[in-house]
Amino acid sequence: MQQPQHHKPKPSLSGSSSWIRRSPPPSPPHKKPWGAGGSRSRYACRFLPLLALTVYSLLTVLRIPSSSLVVNTADSERVERREDVEAFKTHLPSNQNSLEARQETRSPASLPCSAFINGEAGGRQSGEGVLCCDRSHYRSDVCYLRGDARTDPSTSSVLLYNAPRGAAPEKVRPYTRKFEGSIMSTIDEVTILPVPDGNGTSDAASRDRDSLRRRCDVRHPAGVPAVVFSTGGYTGNVYHEFSDGLIPLFITSQRFAGEVVFVVLEYHYWWLGRYGAILERLTNYKIVDFRYDRRVHCFSEMIVGLRIHGELVVDPKLMPNGKSIKDFQALLHQGYSKAPASSSSAPVPLPLVPLSRPCLDHATTKAAKPKMLIFIRKQNRVILNLPHVVTACRRAGFAPHVMNLRRQTPLPVIHAALASADAMVAVHGAAVTHFLFMRPGTVLLQIVPVGLDWAAESFYGKPAQQLGLEYLEYKVAPEESSLAAEYGLDSTVVRDPSVISSRGWWEMKKVYMDRQNVTVGIKRFGELLRAAKLHLKNATACANSNGNGKAAAVR
């Protein structure tokens, strides 16, 4: 990641936008500044330019230190637009990330704010208010409140009564793509307004303050915090729904074991319908629609914003209880399988392979073929020789099933298909996110079009491996891309994608994501299929050292 460079900014060439002003040109010789001549006028003519130069020099010296560290509003907007163009809309990090990282504020107990957000600070007296924010992560800002917190939907704010003395108002956009200025500008902002406890003020002033305190329409139980977040931004894209939303929500809220209330900005009913099976395993309470629920909700504790560790990842080193992406997958499995929602048992991660999958007897092994799902696309990044690919999978010993996912395809249907599959084949795209439904030890084979190598590995390959999947890549050769016919096999577009990528996200998206289809080389693809089949054969082989394969399989 590029580190911020603190140096004196170059003066803008545009006089209207630069804080450095050029000295005015000297007056023409035939003009006298103040009318009639004389010694007094000549003295003034000499004195005033000297005075102006002195004032200009002082202002320049005074303004350079702050300007070298802070980007003004106009400059910030230009930077955000430029970085938005250069950032991979769905994935690629932005160089602006490091500029937005700041130290987290300290709590009244001199503890870092992250200690309260993660639950590491321990219990405190209810009378002591806490208001602090952790803005150190380039992906998200998260604030923590403890005391008497009350929502005010009419002003999109939260009032914290009995706030610590000296606490200042805070503003948070509770979405996990802080580095993308363009998308963050569409996210509703929450203002946290501290109201001091009034110690040292007169009784009359305290009564007046209490009379202005917003009445609680819904008082939530003490010890049941609120987690405030947005389902705006890129919500609607399955990758972002998991990477920017559901996984960060799991990271932030799972420690409460359901005793937490979700307060949602930019609430979508379809989102609740689609992911309700997950949400009901993270909270025991109804979700609050912050914008349209006009009631005042009162909480003793509140977290505004979500923690995020990276793309489709839960880092156990950053979790106070050591949870990982496998625990999130267990929650998915419990939610979308037939497990009852009222089950008191916590989700248990799926057992690891190689010795976890059911052992098959010799006759069954000969009859059964590993199930392979082939996810296809219809508009771009289409597999042009799909029938040949299906035939190759069948010849390699798989039972191929083609899936054409649509937005309205129910998640339980997708989960059921993948949870029972042995392998998945998909061209790089948002649908690959569904590998989260696959059992550890199964195979993800991603077809990587020209120009998308880095994104494919970073945002699907590595997370799949962390989940325990066998990850294989089929990298499309230049001659196998439709771009070769459009631009020429020896064109820069085909031979050196980095040149196009350097021009920014929109140019790369237009070329490599929106206009590219692929023709898979069957011979080379068949080699990967054989590697996948060999892996599955080894993974399902039961250890028979003690003569009891079943015992080894379930250990």
Side-chain angles (χ1 to χ4, degrees), residues 22 25 29 32 34 43 48 52 77 98 108 126 128 141 143 150 250 253 274 287 337 344 346 376 415 455 500:
R22 296 183 182 274
K32 294 182 179 181
W34 287 355
Y43 177 80
L48 286 179
E77 291 174 354
S98 58
S126 58
E128 290 185 279
D141 292 335
C143 292
R150 307 189 180 198
F250 172 81
S253 66
R274 188 168 180 82
I287 291 177
S337 65
S344 58
I376 62 173
H415 173 268
I500 305 301

Side-chain angles (χ1 to χ4, degrees), residues 290-363:
F290 188 84
R291 178 186 290 175
Y292 292 107
D293 188 338
R294 313 309 293 180
R295 297 174 297 175
V296 175
H297 291 260
C298 300
F299 298 91
S300 60
E301 188 178 5
M302 184 178 287
I303 297 173
V304 183
L306 298 178
R307 285 288 199 203
I308 184 169
H309 295 165
E311 309 288 345
L312 297 179
V313 65
V314 179
D315 188 344
K317 297 178 181 178
L318 300 177
M319 298 290 287
N321 49 17
K323 298 289 185 179
S324 71
I325 189 65
K326 296 183 178 69
D327 296 281
F328 177 75
Q329 188 200 46
L331 183 143
L332 295 180
H333 181 69
Q334 187 186 59
Y336 290 114
S337 65
K338 297 184 181 299
S342 59
S343 176
S344 58
S345 59
V348 178
L350 299 180
L352 293 177
V353 192
L355 298 180
S356 61
R357 298 175 65 211
C359 296
L360 304 175
D361 58 39
H362 185 68

Side-chain angles (χ1 to χ4, degrees), residues 137-153:
H137 200 283
Y138 76 93
R139 287 291 300 264
S140 65
D141 292 335
V142 187
C143 292
Y144 177 87
L145 298 76
R146 179 172 288 178
D148 184 358
R150 307 189 180 198
T151 62
D152 184 0

Side-chain angles (χ1 to χ4, degrees), residues 126-131 146-149 159-165 194-199 209-210 213:
S126 58
E128 290 185 279
V130 176
L131 171 56
R146 179 172 288 178
D148 184 358
L159 304 176
L160 178 62
Y161 295 95
N162 299 328
R165 185 176 299 276
V195 182
D197 58 10
N199 289 337
R209 187 187 65 257
D210 292 340
R213 182 174 298 193

Side-chain angles (χ1 to χ4, degrees), residues 7-44:
H7 55 80
K8 184 191 299 184
K10 295 180 180 180
S12 172
L13 296 178
S14 171
S16 61
S17 62
S18 174
W19 54 266
I20 299 180
R21 305 297 183 187
R22 296 183 182 274
S23 299
S27 299
H30 64 277
K31 291 187 179 180
K32 294 182 179 181
W34 287 355
S39 60
R40 184 172 183 178
S41 296
R42 287 195 297 272
Y43 177 80

Side-chain angles (χ1 to χ4, degrees), residues 75-94:
D75 290 340
S76 178
E77 291 174 354
R78 286 194 296 272
V79 168
E80 288 171 352
R81 285 195 294 270
R82 184 178 66 251
E83 294 298 335
D84 178 58
V85 172
E86 294 177 354
F88 196 132
K89 176 181 177 183
T90 19
H91 310 301
L92 294 182
S94 165

Side-chain angles (χ1 to χ4, degrees), residues 91-162:
H91 310 301
L92 294 182
S94 165
N95 292 334
Q96 185 74 355
N97 298 349
S98 58
L99 299 180
E100 301 217 9
R102 298 187 293 274
Q103 294 297 320
E104 51 183 304
T105 57
R106 311 292 289 189
S107 68
S110 296
L111 292 172
C113 196
S114 56
F116 288 92
I117 297 168
N118 296 334
E120 299 166 338
R124 294 176 54 82
Q125 295 180 358
S126 58
E128 290 185 279
V130 176
L131 171 56
C132 61
C133 293
D134 182 0
R135 303 183 186 272
S136 62
H137 200 283
Y138 76 93
R139 287 291 300 264
S140 65
D141 292 335
V142 187
C143 292
Y144 177 87
L145 298 76
R146 179 172 288 178
D148 184 358
R150 307 189 180 198
T151 62
D152 184 0
S154 62
T155 60
S156 189
S157 61
V158 175
L159 304 176
L160 178 62
Y161 295 95
N162 299 328

